[in-house]
Short mmCIF file of all heavy atoms in Angstrom, two decimals:
data_model
loop_
_atom_site.label_atom_id
_atom_site.label_comp_id
_atom_site.label_asym_id
_atom_site.label_seq_id
_atom_site.Cartn_x
_atom_site.Cartn_y
_atom_site.Cartn_z
N GLY A 122 2.07 16.59 -0.04
CA GLY A 122 1.19 17.74 0.00
C GLY A 122 -0.08 17.38 0.73
O GLY A 122 -0.30 16.22 1.06
N GLN A 123 -0.92 18.40 0.95
CA GLN A 123 -2.15 18.16 1.70
C GLN A 123 -3.17 17.39 0.88
O GLN A 123 -2.98 17.19 -0.32
CB GLN A 123 -2.73 19.50 2.15
CG GLN A 123 -1.91 20.09 3.29
CD GLN A 123 -2.53 21.34 3.87
OE1 GLN A 123 -3.44 21.92 3.30
NE2 GLN A 123 -2.02 21.76 5.02
N PHE A 124 -4.25 16.98 1.51
CA PHE A 124 -5.32 16.27 0.82
C PHE A 124 -5.82 17.12 -0.36
O PHE A 124 -5.88 18.34 -0.26
CB PHE A 124 -6.48 15.96 1.77
CG PHE A 124 -7.23 17.17 2.23
CD1 PHE A 124 -8.36 17.60 1.55
CD2 PHE A 124 -6.81 17.88 3.34
CE1 PHE A 124 -9.05 18.74 1.96
CE2 PHE A 124 -7.48 19.01 3.75
CZ PHE A 124 -8.60 19.45 3.05
N GLY A 125 -6.09 16.46 -1.45
CA GLY A 125 -6.62 17.16 -2.61
C GLY A 125 -5.58 17.94 -3.40
O GLY A 125 -5.92 18.67 -4.33
N SER A 126 -4.29 17.79 -3.05
CA SER A 126 -3.29 18.59 -3.75
C SER A 126 -2.92 17.97 -5.11
O SER A 126 -2.21 18.59 -5.89
CB SER A 126 -2.04 18.77 -2.88
OG SER A 126 -1.52 17.52 -2.49
N GLY A 127 -3.38 16.76 -5.38
CA GLY A 127 -3.17 16.18 -6.72
C GLY A 127 -2.19 15.02 -6.77
O GLY A 127 -1.82 14.56 -7.85
N LYS A 128 -1.78 14.50 -5.61
CA LYS A 128 -0.82 13.40 -5.57
C LYS A 128 -1.35 12.17 -6.29
O LYS A 128 -0.67 11.58 -7.15
CB LYS A 128 -0.50 13.04 -4.10
CG LYS A 128 0.02 14.21 -3.27
CD LYS A 128 0.33 13.81 -1.83
CE LYS A 128 -0.85 13.43 -0.97
NZ LYS A 128 -1.80 14.54 -0.68
N THR A 129 -2.57 11.78 -5.93
CA THR A 129 -3.16 10.58 -6.53
C THR A 129 -3.46 10.80 -8.02
O THR A 129 -3.26 9.90 -8.84
CB THR A 129 -4.44 10.19 -5.75
OG1 THR A 129 -4.05 9.86 -4.42
CG2 THR A 129 -5.14 8.99 -6.37
N GLN A 130 -3.91 12.00 -8.36
CA GLN A 130 -4.19 12.30 -9.77
C GLN A 130 -2.93 12.17 -10.62
O GLN A 130 -2.94 11.59 -11.70
CB GLN A 130 -4.76 13.72 -9.91
CG GLN A 130 -6.15 13.88 -9.29
CD GLN A 130 -7.17 12.96 -9.94
OE1 GLN A 130 -7.28 12.89 -11.16
NE2 GLN A 130 -7.90 12.22 -9.12
N LEU A 131 -1.84 12.71 -10.10
CA LEU A 131 -0.57 12.64 -10.83
C LEU A 131 -0.08 11.20 -10.94
O LEU A 131 0.43 10.76 -11.98
CB LEU A 131 0.47 13.54 -10.13
CG LEU A 131 1.77 13.83 -10.84
CD1 LEU A 131 1.55 14.31 -12.27
CD2 LEU A 131 2.56 14.92 -10.08
N GLU A 158 -4.91 3.29 0.20
CA GLU A 158 -6.05 4.07 0.71
C GLU A 158 -7.32 3.81 -0.07
O GLU A 158 -8.31 4.52 0.09
CB GLU A 158 -5.70 5.56 0.65
CG GLU A 158 -4.52 5.90 1.54
CD GLU A 158 -4.20 7.40 1.57
OE1 GLU A 158 -4.26 8.02 0.49
OE2 GLU A 158 -3.90 7.91 2.66
N ARG A 165 -10.98 6.96 -13.72
CA ARG A 165 -10.09 8.11 -13.99
C ARG A 165 -9.07 7.74 -15.06
O ARG A 165 -8.71 8.55 -15.90
CB ARG A 165 -9.36 8.53 -12.69
CG ARG A 165 -10.13 9.43 -11.80
CD ARG A 165 -10.57 10.69 -12.50
NE ARG A 165 -9.57 11.75 -12.56
CZ ARG A 165 -9.48 12.61 -13.58
NH1 ARG A 165 -10.28 12.53 -14.62
NH2 ARG A 165 -8.57 13.56 -13.57
N ASP A 168 -10.73 8.03 -18.40
CA ASP A 168 -10.82 9.44 -18.83
C ASP A 168 -9.49 9.90 -19.42
O ASP A 168 -9.44 10.54 -20.47
CB ASP A 168 -11.11 10.36 -17.63
CG ASP A 168 -12.54 10.24 -17.12
OD1 ASP A 168 -13.37 9.64 -17.85
OD2 ASP A 168 -12.81 10.72 -16.01
N GLN A 264 1.21 12.30 2.59
CA GLN A 264 0.35 13.42 2.97
C GLN A 264 1.01 14.28 4.03
O GLN A 264 1.69 13.79 4.92
CB GLN A 264 -1.00 12.93 3.48
CG GLN A 264 -2.06 14.01 3.33
CD GLN A 264 -3.35 13.65 4.01
OE1 GLN A 264 -3.39 13.32 5.18
NE2 GLN A 264 -4.43 13.73 3.26
N ARG A 303 -2.79 23.83 -9.58
CA ARG A 303 -1.95 23.27 -8.52
C ARG A 303 -0.54 23.85 -8.71
O ARG A 303 -0.10 24.07 -9.84
CB ARG A 303 -1.83 21.75 -8.66
CG ARG A 303 -3.14 21.00 -8.55
CD ARG A 303 -3.66 21.02 -7.11
NE ARG A 303 -4.82 20.18 -6.93
CZ ARG A 303 -6.06 20.50 -7.28
NH1 ARG A 303 -6.31 21.64 -7.87
NH2 ARG A 303 -7.06 19.67 -7.05
N VAL A 322 -5.35 20.16 -12.89
CA VAL A 322 -5.98 18.83 -12.91
C VAL A 322 -7.32 19.01 -13.62
O VAL A 322 -8.19 19.73 -13.12
CB VAL A 322 -6.23 18.29 -11.49
CG1 VAL A 322 -6.79 16.87 -11.56
CG2 VAL A 322 -4.95 18.29 -10.67
N THR A 323 -7.47 18.38 -14.79
CA THR A 323 -8.73 18.50 -15.54
C THR A 323 -9.33 17.12 -15.71
O THR A 323 -8.72 16.11 -15.34
CB THR A 323 -8.47 19.09 -16.95
OG1 THR A 323 -7.81 18.08 -17.73
CG2 THR A 323 -7.59 20.33 -16.90
N THR A 324 -10.51 17.07 -16.30
CA THR A 324 -11.15 15.78 -16.55
C THR A 324 -10.25 14.88 -17.39
O THR A 324 -10.17 13.67 -17.16
CB THR A 324 -12.49 15.98 -17.31
OG1 THR A 324 -13.18 17.02 -16.64
CG2 THR A 324 -13.32 14.72 -17.33
P1 LIG B 413 -5.09 12.82 -0.42
O1 LIG B 413 -3.96 13.28 0.45
O2 LIG B 413 -6.41 13.01 0.24
O3 LIG B 413 -4.90 11.46 -0.95
P2 LIG B 413 -4.38 13.80 -3.05
O4 LIG B 413 -3.26 14.77 -3.04
O5 LIG B 413 -4.11 12.43 -3.46
O6 LIG B 413 -5.14 13.85 -1.65
P3 LIG B 413 -6.03 13.88 -5.35
O7 LIG B 413 -6.98 12.79 -5.09
O8 LIG B 413 -4.93 13.64 -6.30
O9 LIG B 413 -5.49 14.44 -3.98
O10 LIG B 413 -6.80 15.15 -5.87
C1 LIG B 413 -8.18 15.27 -5.78
C2 LIG B 413 -8.55 16.50 -6.57
O11 LIG B 413 -8.32 16.26 -7.96
C3 LIG B 413 -10.02 16.81 -6.46
O12 LIG B 413 -10.26 17.64 -5.36
C4 LIG B 413 -10.26 17.56 -7.77
O13 LIG B 413 -9.88 18.89 -7.61
C5 LIG B 413 -9.28 16.92 -8.74
N1 LIG B 413 -9.98 15.95 -9.58
C6 LIG B 413 -10.24 14.67 -9.31
N2 LIG B 413 -10.94 14.09 -10.30
C7 LIG B 413 -11.13 15.04 -11.22
C8 LIG B 413 -11.80 15.09 -12.47
N3 LIG B 413 -12.42 14.03 -12.97
N4 LIG B 413 -11.78 16.25 -13.14
C9 LIG B 413 -11.18 17.33 -12.64
N5 LIG B 413 -10.54 17.36 -11.47
C10 LIG B 413 -10.51 16.23 -10.77
#
Side-chain angles (χ1 to χ4, degrees):
Q123 286 187 347
F124 68 93
S126 56
K128 304 180 293 294
T129 297
Q130 293 299 312
L131 191 50
E158 297 183 319
R165 276 304 277 148
D168 287 346
Q264 203 189 53
R303 299 288 187 282
V322 184
T323 72
T324 313

